[in-house]
Amino acid sequence: MENSLINWVNTFEGLDAPVTALAQLDDGLVLHCILREIAPSHFGEGALKDNCGSNAILKSTNVKKLLRSLESYYREVLLQDVAMDCVDPAMVAQADATEVSKLVEMVLGCAVQCDEKHRYIQSLMKDLDKPSQADLMILTKQCLSRGEQHALDQSDALLDSTLESEGAAAGGQLVELHDTVRRLQVKLDDLEGANAELHDEVAKAAAKKDELEHDLAEALEQ
């Protein structure tokens, strides 16, 4: 896999010299040059310090800056929250093959998902030998799968948030409706009570009227 990554790096034409070992990538400068080709508006020239020599601190500082730029590109352009803490800048500065490979894979992820992704994916198939093609296509599929999964996660999160918001709104409306029903029920009970009292009054008035008419009839007979 290491040789395949080296071969991929060498497909970029803007390099000062061919890369023969991952250790040549330990200061971040070559990878930053590649990223400037991939997304020149995002990865500015002169962002990293040249001529770090064997100074591991300067190399590590460069790699940290590169990782911050990568994280920003993934977040702002590719709309993916990719944790860059999986790469150890200090170990990259010490030319640790595993950590340098992780960093190169992050750059590959930018290449195969940027606006010119078709160009870079075609380059994988045209400019690399068969073993390197196989390795890089595996990494490319992993990068694309992560991107798709992140998009799905964002979609699910948005859907959950929308449903929760609508559920809360519906819940609030339901509570308000219950309050309205309760108030109307109280009014209905009051009206029914008043109606019953009115019926009693009407019955009493009718009985009194009948009594008066009876008394009046008896008086007339006398």
Side-chain angles (χ1 to χ4, degrees), residues 129-163:
D129 56 47
K130 294 298 183 181
S132 296
Q133 285 180 16
D135 288 341
L136 269 296
M137 288 310 297
I138 290 173
L139 294 178
T140 297
K141 289 178 181 179
Q142 290 176 350
C143 292
L144 296 177
S145 295
R146 283 197 297 267
E148 291 173 358
Q149 185 58 50
H150 182 78
L152 289 173
D153 291 343
Q154 284 189 319
S155 178
D156 289 343
L158 178 60
L159 178 60
D160 291 342
S161 176
T162 301
L163 290 175

